Amino acid sequence: MAFTPLHDRVLVRRLESEEKTAGGLIIPDTAKEKPSEGEVVSVGEGARKDNGELIAMAVAAGDKILFGKWSGTEVTVDGEELLIMKESDIMGKLS
């Protein structure tokens, strides 16, 4: 099933968090937080101004992004857990 977000929404796949700390300690599953990094899967066409002019999206499919801890709505598409969020919930791109 293909899914394309509408307007200024973005479909995001969470990136896996690190299994170890910088000091080499292994983090158990119960202590892990959901990662706030992700990869953009697809984007909508963008928001519209009051006059109908399209505002282009700042992110594109394949971009690695950083988003807020509680951002987005979890959905399952083709058996994969993804997030749908507004572009404004994205804090920035990772290079």
Side-chain angles (χ1 to χ4, degrees):
M1 162 178 53
F3 179 83
T4 304
L6 297 177
H7 309 296
D8 63 340
R9 289 184 176 79
V10 180
L11 187 65
V12 176
R13 176 182 300 116
R14 283 188 196 269
L15 295 178
E16 293 300 317
S17 60
E18 293 293 321
E19 299 289 323
K20 293 183 181 181
T21 65
L25 297 175
I26 296 175
I27 303 170
D29 288 338
T30 55
K32 287 183 189 174
E33 291 187 14
K34 289 186 177 181
S36 58
E37 292 181 19
E39 180 181 359
V40 176
V41 176
S42 64
V43 298
E45 63 181 9
R48 295 209 176 261
K49 295 181 181 178
D50 290 337
N51 65 2
E53 185 180 337
L54 188 64
I55 302 169
M57 298 288 280
V59 295
D63 286 347
K64 300 227 182 321
I65 59 166
L66 187 67
F67 52 88
K69 188 174 184 177
W70 306 109
S71 298
T73 301
E74 293 183 353
V75 296
T76 302
V77 178
D78 290 336
E80 183 179 12
E81 287 191 18
L82 302 170
L83 290 170
I84 299 175
M85 64 182 68
K86 291 184 113 356
E87 184 184 31
S88 60
D89 290 340
I90 297 172
M91 291 188 242
K93 291 191 226 181
L94 300 170
S95 53

